[in-house]
Amino acid sequence: ATQLKMDVYRPPDLSETNLRPAVIFVHGGYLPADVPVKALPKEWGVFVSYGQLVAASGLVGITFNHRFFGSFNALHDSQADLTDLVGYVRSHAAELGVDKDHLSLWFFSGAGPLFCNALRQPEPYVRSLIAYYTILDLQPMRKEHPETVSAEVAREYSPISCINSAGAAIPPLFIGRAGLDSPAIDTGLDQFVQNALAHNLSLEVMNHPQGHHAFDARDNDARSREIIRATIEFIRSH
């Protein structure tokens, strides 16, 4: 069995009578086999830094490992991992210092397909959804990964289509776009934005014109910091 773990970053002044909203960070997946990985995602510097940033902002940050790492075959498992993680946080909210009715989900890169469940079945306790340079349409991936991205997988895990079958009010959305990302990612992201607007959703989009994929970790510049700062304010405001 795969042992999955989480880390919890809490403000220093947290008490049992002062529960705080929580931000759950959902790492990406599909890392090519030739990319060396020395640590699991929750131990990557970017997620350690995000946990610390959120805690310094007066919120609780939660990072965790899920099973979508090297193959799109693991999407179903990872969706279950995310659901279990949210359930665990809510059922252990008091001991974690979390207000169980005020959660935000922040998705990165290849975690875009896991965005689907939050769109298709919105929960009232999820107050905002954030997506940074995410895969929001799996159709372009079918040519690159024909063995793992079937028509059924692309249909079930493409947020661009999941948004059409929402069963309740979708919470406010924040999209962070990397202008120099791959065309497959940006095209899907742009079409998702148009679809969200067609559904008259609450949506904020910030583009980093010179930003690369993972601009928040790779591009140490004023625009990256501006987008990150605006994202934290977006979460706090909801």
Side-chain angles (χ1 to χ4, degrees):
T2 302
Q3 187 176 46
L4 303 173
K5 296 183 177 182
M6 70 177 187
D7 289 333
V8 180
Y9 297 80
R10 310 197 301 177
D13 58 343
L14 201 62
S15 68
E16 292 184 2
T17 59
N18 185 21
L19 303 179
R20 303 291 178 85
V23 182
I24 296 173
F25 296 92
V26 187
H27 69 77
Y30 177 58
L31 292 180
D34 59 349
V35 174
V37 177
K38 297 181 179 179
L40 292 175
K42 76 177 182 63
E43 292 152 6
W44 294 354
V46 62
F47 291 115
V48 172
S49 296
Y50 268 129
Q52 294 171 339
L53 173 62
V54 163
S57 301
L59 309 170
V60 176
I62 297 173
T63 63
F64 75 111
N65 299 322
H66 58 79
R67 284 175 282 179
F68 178 35
F69 205 69
S71 169
F72 286 102
N73 280 330
L75 283 175
H76 184 73
D77 290 337
S78 285
Q79 185 66 77
D81 297 339
L82 174 57
T83 299
D84 290 347
L85 184 278
V86 172
Y88 183 91
V89 169
R90 296 194 77 236
S91 63
H92 294 77
E95 64 191 81
L96 297 175
V98 169
D99 179 346
K100 67 184 180 67
D101 293 321
H102 288 80
L103 307 180
S104 293
L105 304 181
W106 191 337
F107 299 81
F108 296 80
S109 186
L114 304 183
F115 207 46
C116 250
N117 218 37
L119 297 172
R120 191 183 287 119
Q121 297 176 314
E123 299 288 357
Y125 50 80
V126 176
R127 300 305 182 100
S128 63
L129 297 169
I130 301 95
Y132 268 24
Y133 41 84
T134 45
I135 297 174
L136 297 178
D137 184 5
L138 278 176
Q139 288 296 338
M141 303 295 165
R142 293 192 62 198
K143 292 182 179 179
E144 188 176 349
H145 306 278
E147 296 181 357
T148 56
V149 183
S150 64
E152 181 181 357
V153 167
R155 183 169 56 252
E156 183 177 357
Y157 287 102
S158 289
I160 193 171
S161 57
C162 295
I163 204 172
N164 297 326
S165 55
I170 292 175
L173 306 172
F174 186 104
I175 306 292
R177 181 183 188 275
L180 301 181
D181 213 332
S182 71
I185 291 180
D186 271 350
T187 298
L189 189 151
D190 296 345
Q191 291 175 346
F192 175 88
V193 168
Q194 291 301 314
N195 204 8
L197 292 174
H199 284 77
N200 200 31
L201 301 184
S202 175
L203 174 70
E204 293 187 32
V205 180
M206 291 190 73
N207 184 42
H208 191 323
Q210 302 305 317
H212 301 83
H213 190 80
F215 62 80
D216 49 340
R218 296 176 61 192
D219 299 314
N220 182 14
D221 56 29
R223 183 58 175 170
S224 292
R225 291 188 288 275
E226 182 182 13
I227 294 173
I228 294 168
R229 184 165 53 247
T231 306
I232 298 296
E233 288 305 311
F234 172 84
I235 293 169
R236 290 169 62 94
S237 69
H238 294 293

